[in-house]
Amino acid sequence: MVMKNYPPECKADAVALYESRPEATIRSVAADLGINPETLRNWGRAAGASRPRGRRAEASVEPPTALEAENAALRKKIRELEEEREILRKAAKYFAGGDALVKRLCTIPGIARSSFYYWRRTAADRAARQAADAGLAARIRAVHRESNGTYGVPRITAELREDGERVNHKRVARVMRSINLAGLRLRRKHRTTTPDPAAAKAPDQIGRDFTARETNTKYVGDITCLPLENGKFLYPATVIGLASRRLTGRAIADHMRTDLVVDALATAERTRGSLAGAVLHTDHGAQYTSRAFADACHQAGVRQSMSAAGSSADNALAESFNATFKRETLQGRKHCAGEREARLGAFQWLHRYNVRRRHSRLGHRSPIAYENAFRMTSTTLTQAA
């Protein structure tokens, strides 16, 4: 499910992402962002977008030749099993049911005849299983590529099941191991919180309870960083809803001044229409304890809440979100090539997070899909009452 209203900065970033990928079609970029291709095309026309013509190259985690080679190897193995079965069938017919030759052949390598007969009896089943695994491996690769190489076993299993595949997560894990495929893992954290000892602190109104029964009631905010090739950083600031884990507000800049978190709060307010009465929980960073941010919260009707100094567990949800964002955006690299790449990569992931990326706590649904389902359920219950 997609959003109905898109802010101007979202439209501009989507068009810029399309322009930066001359090898991709407008349909593939739109699908990656979870929006209608015609919508993206209209945004491009309105912005007068153009991009250099380039030779199309499929953006996959592994080159197509590797996949073709693996499929060829699997087909060869299936042919060998079929040939072995045919040889054994002819041999059994020739020896008219006698097992003298089998006994002799099994004696030489020192194996039991029962093992040989079991192997011969199950050859067809093994070939069928290998063919089925080859097909599943191809579908797993497609899901893995579509997630930009970030999904692991649980999310790939959920994606396959939603597409109608009856598959167990253990089988998905086994097939992924056999083709050397895995999700991304955590990287070391770069410190972005610098507390101001003299600043006033707000009380903790969350108490490590990162849940909410209704949307637009409780949020967490934080800042993370994306390293650049020149040794500098870009700093994304986020505001995340606790009910649906939706990224409600965001801003990105090459600094960590108070303007950064004020802009993220303003984006959240535009997304929801109003934040009046909501709680925003943050760490003790100087940006969040500043007078300017307190004034912005007051004007938006937001109640501030702060974690204990030096305790990442008190803002664990935001910390977890930041770790996932960096891991899946960098994809094992130490840094982004440049500021433009970092900005577009951040926009792409943050937008996908809301409309496409499956969240384990939400029953492997995206935040917006979860909110839409919750809204439909609430409407049904209201009408029934």
Side-chain angles (χ1 to χ4, degrees), residues 224-288:
T224 188
C225 67
L226 281 177
L228 304 180
E229 190 175 33
N230 58 6
K232 297 182 179 180
F233 293 89
L234 279 184
Y235 300 94
T238 54
V239 177
I240 305 167
L242 297 188
S244 64
R245 301 301 198 258
R246 180 175 178 175
L247 176 65
T248 310
R250 64 181 177 90
I252 186 168
D254 58 0
H255 61 80
M256 288 195 297
R257 296 190 295 271
T258 303
D259 292 347
L260 176 63
V261 294
V262 172
D263 289 344
L265 178 64
T267 304
E269 190 173 17
R270 288 196 300 271
T271 299
R272 291 300 189 192
S274 173
L275 296 176
V279 173
L280 175 59
H281 185 76
T282 65
D283 57 29
H284 277 182
Q287 304 88 347
Y288 294 111

Side-chain angles (χ1 to χ4, degrees), residues 187-193 222-223 312 319 322 326:
R187 294 177 58 86
R188 294 180 61 185
K189 184 186 176 189
H190 175 77
R191 182 178 176 85
T192 55
T193 302
D222 201 5
I223 303 173
S312 60
E319 298 282 349
N322 289 340
K326 292 180 64 176

